[in-house]
């Protein structure tokens, strides 16, 4: 949310979210099979970059679909000034997807001992316990709240109806 508040239209929250979900498909499949749901092959930086490219390839289609539906509702509720563009630039999709996948690996690496984020260059986890899990959770929550508030306030400020001058 902080990135969105700062970058505005140069960052896609939908693409960022898709990237986060894509990173956890492998542990989800393991959990559904009643196998241990530990980080697998996707939870390292080289594979995270590949996942980001895949997400960036499908994100424009998903964003167009969601933006079209949301914009239709905004116009119906007389809030059309908040409508968002339906096109997603390639560099915005790729940057947002990379942010999603790389941050996902970084945050998981701090908390999970079984991660090897730098494989094949390094077999260990140099980020493990960089900060405590509680401090990491608090930082993520604080960043989310601050980012959401800033994003909302900036959205309101940019889309304010001009007042009539007498």
């Amino acid at each position: 949310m902080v990135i969105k508040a700062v970058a505005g239209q140069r960052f896609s929250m939908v693409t960022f979210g898709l990237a986060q979900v894509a990173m956890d498909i492998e542990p989800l499949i393991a959990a559904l099979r009643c196998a241990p749901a530990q980080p697998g092959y996707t939870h390292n930086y080289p594979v995270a970059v590949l996942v980001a490219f895949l997400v960036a390839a499908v994100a424009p289609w998903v964003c167009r679909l969601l933006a079209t539906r949301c914009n239709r509702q905004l116009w119906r509720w007389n809030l059309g000034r908040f409508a968002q563009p339906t096109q997603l630039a390639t560099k915005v999709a790729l940057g947002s997807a990379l942010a999603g996948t790389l941050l996902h690996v970084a945050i998981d690496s701090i908390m999970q001992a079984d991660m090897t984020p730098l494989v094949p260059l390094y077999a260990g986890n140099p980020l493990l316990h960089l900060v405590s899990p509680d401090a990491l959770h608090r930082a993520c929550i604080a960043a989310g709240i601050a980012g959401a508030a800033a994003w909302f306030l900036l959205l309101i400020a940019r889309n304010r109806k001009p007042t009539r001058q007498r």
Side-chain angles (χ1 to χ4, degrees):
M1 298 299 274
V2 170
I3 298 170
K4 179 65 176 177
V6 172
Q9 295 295 328
R10 296 180 310 263
F11 187 79
S12 167
M13 284 299 295
V14 172
T15 305
F16 181 83
L18 286 172
Q20 295 287 326
V21 170
M23 290 299 293
D24 277 336
I25 286 179
E26 186 182 12
L28 173 65
I29 291 169
L32 292 174
R33 293 175 53 223
C34 296
Q38 57 194 20
Y41 296 108
T42 60
H43 283 68
N44 63 66
Y45 289 110
V47 176
V49 170
L50 294 175
V51 171
F53 275 96
L54 292 172
V55 169
V58 299
W61 178 79
V62 174
C63 289
R64 183 172 46 254
L65 178 73
L66 291 175
T68 300
R69 290 182 66 130
C70 289
N71 288 347
R72 194 176 307 132
Q73 291 299 317
L74 288 168
W75 284 105
R76 184 174 293 147
W77 298 330
N78 200 24
L79 295 169
R81 67 185 181 276
F82 293 108
Q84 297 295 308
T86 57
Q87 300 299 317
L88 181 65
T90 303
K91 66 181 180 180
V92 172
L94 184 56
S96 302
L98 281 167
T101 59
L102 297 178
L103 281 170
H104 189 106
V105 172
I107 290 171
D108 279 2
S109 295
I110 292 170
M111 297 185 302
Q112 298 181 16
D114 56 352
M115 295 236 344
T116 53
L118 299 174
V119 115
L121 302 174
Y122 180 72
N125 184 354
L127 299 176
L128 185 61
H129 303 306
L130 189 63
V131 296
S132 74
D134 286 341
L136 181 64
H137 291 141
R138 284 193 298 274
C140 287
I141 291 168
I145 291 169
W151 182 26
F152 181 74
L153 292 173
L154 289 169
L155 183 66
I156 296 296
R158 286 186 202 126
N159 293 291
R160 242 183 162 155
K161 284 187 177 179
T163 56
R164 290 187 184 178
Q165 299 290 329
R166 290 187 184 196

